Amino acid sequence: MTKKLHISDDLSLPLDAATQTIAVVARKGAGKTYAASKLVEELLGHGVQTVVMDTVGNWYGLRIAANGKDRGFDIPVLGGLRGDVPLTPESGALIADLVVDTGRSFVIDLSQFSLGARKKFATSFGEQLWKRKKGEAEPSAVHVVLEECQLIIPQFVGRDDARMVGIWEEIVRLGRNYGIGVTMITQRPQSVNKEVLTQTECLLVLQVNGVPERKALKEWIVHQGADVDLLNELPSLPVGTAYLWSPQWLRTFERIRIAKKTTLDASATPKVGERRVKVELKPLDLGELKARMEQVTAAAEQNDPTALHRRIRQLEAELKKPTAVAKPEVKEVPIITESDHRTLRELFEAARADFDKVAAKVESLATVLRELGTQVPRPAPMAAPPRGFTTPTRPARPTVVQVERNGEVSEYGLLLLRTVAARHPMKLTRAQISTLSGRSPRSSAFTGAMAEIIKGGFLAQVGGGLHELTETGLAAAGGPAAPPSSGEVIDQWRNALPGYERLLFDVLVDAYPKALTRPELAERSNKSITSSAFTAAISTLAKNGLAEVASGEVRASADLFLSGAA
Ligand SMILES: Nc1ncnc2c1ncn2[C@@H]1O[C@H](COP(=O)(O)OP(=O)(O)OP(=O)(O)O)[C@@H](O)[C@H]1O
Ligand SMILES: [Mg+2]
């Protein structure tokens, strides 16, 4: 009988999955970790060396049987809250040596590391693993699982990520030649380095409903020359059901139900009111491994330059300290004297009297002017300082109305005229003009340009808040134009919106014409409904005419899909 990895009753993978690259993608809670750990159970069951880089901290479940009591696999857990031995950020290279020297499987729990510590570990572990495996004359298979892999191979490579991303990219791309296979788990395929994701031989995708996520998957599917139609089914997949795509390696495309795990489902979402049983790992007989791990930890601490510097600074500080520190005597000295107080009060009273006099004069002057029929504005209240995000017109935002002239219209004015001309003879509201032109209705540049084209006789206000192009306006715009597609309008706004707003916008556009309740919107965008950022982002979208909020529901603005739009 050939050896197979039974990850599902519907489908088994050949054992050479051990050295393949697999991506497991799904929204939060759809069963990524479950599916990947089913695969790992099968690999371990077939004696394949497997190393899990656990950034989340729930892979210790492999050690315990599904009933929560019996033993699972004898796989040491390094680091984390339940680790058999502690792990230091400096020990990446030493752990890689341990992996290669012993040929054993490990869960490397990075969940308790800071961001910097995790990067440090992942970089040196990856570099050493790569070096060692490349040096093996006949490399044995090792399968590496990267939980939340966008943390290790992000699409956006910051200055201090370059080494980490570089080495892991190489491992994913070329690892097969040296016996290394990789499973990458992510809920955000768009945040995973594209160079790496496209290398994936096999995509296991469970429920996915975000627009950016599906767009990233589409890129992979197109890259593999596969059929993209089934992307539409992804949002409705039940938890634990997946599509397995492997156009080249397995030449398979199948809908499968992931089989039940034999080990503890440690990532199960706690139910409200349910008390979680505290899980402790039974001690594992690490034998000589334990001694090696202790050496590892000690050596790491000794060799860590940061730790050494810290120690030197500590010693220096101790040397400088006087043996008995005298308690400083605190004596209060008044900085402003009694007579200063008096002078200040007198000055203040005098200034206030002057101010009252001037204010009274201004008010009586205003009354006289009003009686004469002159429009005098009420004094404006102090504008509140702007809070948070201002206006999303980043790509080509003019700070002032453009002065470059085209006939008698400014460039900004012309843009608005062309926007209206593209829908001519439709009459548009101010909000619609702003939405369709991709400009914020609240910016002073927009207000200025609207005033300019109305005053200049290019745009007429025709009642009901609607505007229509005049003959002159139509001529200045160069006649009726082909309207941009709603896709173009939407893309223009997407590019202008900051990340958070963009995410909600995508979800709303995707759901259109359906309105979403706030909980639905929060869930689909993976955001917390109670956070102030969530409320603020909805209000920003509404203020910019991109979303309509009514009776507790939010919907993408119909203006984005105005007629003529494709
Ligand atoms: N194939 C399955 N069979 C039975 N239950 C499943 C299956 N897949 C997932 N579940 C249930 O759903 C829960 C969530 O799954 P899992 O932890 O794998 O989700 P996830 O996609 O990794 O989520 P997160 O993004 O939060 O890490 C599991 O703990 C399990 O209880
Ligand atoms: Mg998970």
Side-chain angles (χ1 to χ4, degrees):
M1 198 180 81
T2 50
K3 287 184 176 177
K4 291 272 188 186
L5 307 171
H6 297 289
I7 59 164
S8 159
D9 290 342
D10 318 306
L11 178 105
S12 299
L13 298 180
L15 199 57
D16 72 351
T19 50
Q20 285 294 350
T21 44
I22 300 170
V24 183
V25 180
R27 53 156 299 194
K28 200 155 77 180
K32 299 180 292 293
T33 303
Y34 196 103
S37 50
K38 184 68 218 165
L39 171 67
V40 170
E41 282 181 359
E42 289 291 304
L43 288 167
L44 293 173
H46 285 85
V48 175
Q49 186 188 15
T50 307
V51 175
V52 182
M53 300 278 273
D54 181 6
T55 48
V56 177
N58 48 30
W59 281 79
Y60 67 90
L62 288 170
R63 273 279 280 288
I64 306 163
N67 64 11
K69 295 187 194 109
D70 299 330
R71 284 185 101 90
F73 291 93
D74 275 355
I75 180 168
V77 178
L78 314 179
L81 294 175
R82 297 176 177 80
D84 298 295
V85 286
L87 198 64
T88 62
E90 292 75 28
S91 49
L94 293 138
I95 301 296
D97 282 338
L98 191 70
V99 166
V100 179
D101 291 343
T102 62
R104 283 188 72 153
S105 296
F106 291 96
V107 170
I108 303 176
D109 186 329
L110 308 175
S111 64
Q112 301 301 306
F113 281 171
S114 67
L115 199 74
R118 186 178 62 220
K119 283 182 189 170
K120 183 173 193 170
F121 185 95
T123 307
S124 55
F125 176 81
E127 286 177 345
Q128 185 68 3
L129 181 73
W130 189 228
K131 186 170 148 202
R132 292 289 313 271
K133 292 304 281 182
K134 275 171 83 173
E136 277 182 339
E138 283 178 34
S140 56
V142 55
H143 195 78
V144 181
V145 177
L146 303 178
E147 175 67 271
E148 299 293 349
C149 67
Q150 73 281 2
L151 301 176
I152 292 175
I153 335 176
Q155 163 67 1
F156 175 73
V157 184
R159 205 157 34 109
D160 29 319
D161 298 335
R163 249 178 77 198
M164 175 175 72
V165 177
I167 188 63
W168 282 101
E169 187 198 324
E170 193 149 357
I171 293 176
V172 175
R173 206 153 41 84
L174 303 170
R176 201 170 48 81
N177 301 298
Y178 305 100
I180 309 177
V182 184
T183 289
M184 295 176 278
I185 305 171
T186 186
Q187 52 172 300
R188 302 175 56 77
Q190 70 278 29
S191 306
V192 180
N193 200 280
K194 284 208 176 45
E195 296 298 315
V196 173
L197 203 60
T198 46
Q199 298 296 321
T200 312
E201 275 297 330
C202 175
L203 183 68
L204 192 67
V205 50
L206 297 104
Q207 190 190 88
V208 171
N209 39 22
V211 177
E213 284 77 5
R214 282 195 285 154
K215 197 162 165 246
L217 288 175
K218 190 172 172 186
E219 279 173 31
W220 180 87
I221 295 164
V222 170
H223 182 85
Q224 300 280 340
D227 187 358
V228 295
D229 282 356
L230 280 137
L231 271 172
N232 299 332
E233 285 195 30
L234 298 182
S236 58
L237 287 179
V239 170
T241 296
Y243 273 108
L244 184 133
W245 255 304
S246 175
Q248 311 295 328
W249 168 45
L250 299 173
R251 298 188 182 282
T252 300
F253 173 78
E254 248 181 88
R255 180 175 163 134
I256 60 172
R257 167 106 202 126
I258 303 296
K260 235 180 164 32
K261 278 176 34 161
T262 58
T263 58
L264 183 72
D265 178 15
S267 62
T269 319
K271 299 205 171 51
V272 178
E274 178 188 72
R275 279 194 57 192
R276 235 167 160 183
V277 186
K278 197 164 169 236
V279 183
E280 300 277 1
L281 295 188
K282 295 209 175 71
L284 194 65
D285 182 12
L286 289 169
E288 69 182 57
L289 195 61
K290 173 112 186 176
R292 231 185 122 169
M293 275 309 300
E294 275 164 9
Q295 284 169 10
V296 161
T297 309
E301 276 174 357
Q302 271 171 24
N303 293 325
D304 172 28
T306 328
L308 282 178
H309 280 131
R310 206 182 305 128
R311 184 78 190 123
I312 292 169
R313 275 202 305 277
Q314 246 173 20
L315 291 173
E316 281 174 349
E318 272 169 30
L319 275 176
K320 277 190 201 144
K321 258 190 231 160
T323 35
V325 185
K327 211 175 165 197
E329 197 189 332
V330 178
K331 192 175 168 211
E332 285 192 10
V333 181
I335 298 171
I336 300 181
T337 62
E338 196 41 44
S339 102
D340 291 341
H341 265 293
R342 248 195 326 276
T343 317
L344 283 172
R345 199 175 311 119
E346 279 162 18
L347 281 171
F348 173 73
E349 295 295 344
R352 196 168 60 180
D354 285 348
F355 177 81
D356 287 348
K357 269 189 232 153
V358 174
K361 274 195 186 141
V362 169
E363 190 42 46
S364 55
L365 190 59
T367 314
V368 174
L369 286 171
R370 270 191 217 105
E371 278 162 8
L372 290 173
T374 313
Q375 291 234 328
V376 180
R378 300 253 165 227
M382 282 283 270
R387 283 204 297 143
F389 167 65
T390 50
T391 46
T393 47
R394 258 188 266 139
R397 174 166 55 182
T399 43
V400 289
V401 174
Q402 294 275 339
V403 285
E404 200 180 311
R405 298 273 149 177
N406 177 307
E408 296 162 49
V409 199
S410 73
E411 210 170 76
Y412 201 144
L414 195 60
L415 168 84
L416 301 188
L417 289 179
R418 287 196 177 130
T419 304
V420 187
R423 266 94 186 164
H424 190 73
M426 247 174 105
K427 300 181 182 75
L428 301 178
T429 63
R430 183 186 146 87
Q432 287 170 332
I433 299 175
S434 100
T435 306
L436 295 169
S437 63
R439 302 300 157 123
S440 165
R442 293 191 305 153
S443 74
S444 56
F446 180 82
T447 313
M450 280 295 284
E452 179 206 353
I453 53 178
I454 292 169
K455 254 198 197 152
F458 299 100
L459 191 70
Q461 291 172 296
V462 290
L466 294 168
H467 301 77
E468 190 181 35
L469 281 184
T470 61
E471 295 277 3
T472 338
L474 195 59
S485 69
S486 73
E488 282 164 331
V489 174
I490 288 167
D491 272 355
Q492 192 177 1
W493 272 107
R494 280 198 86 241
N495 293 335
L497 288 167
Y500 198 124
E501 282 76 5
R502 187 187 312 153
L503 183 64
L504 300 197
F505 181 66
D506 283 340
V507 171
L508 291 172
V509 166
D510 196 38
Y512 187 84
K514 193 176 161 340
L516 300 178
T517 61
R518 281 170 193 257
E520 279 171 338
L521 178 57
E523 194 189 87
R524 291 193 189 187
S525 54
N526 284 341
K527 294 289 176 196
S528 156
I529 191 171
T530 50
S531 82
S532 57
F534 182 71
T535 317
I538 294 178
S539 113
T540 300
L541 292 180
K543 277 183 199 146
N544 284 288
L546 305 177
E548 292 153 4
V549 184
S551 21
E553 291 193 323
V554 193
R555 197 173 76 137
S557 165
D559 296 345
L560 293 163
F561 304 88
L562 269 187
S563 76

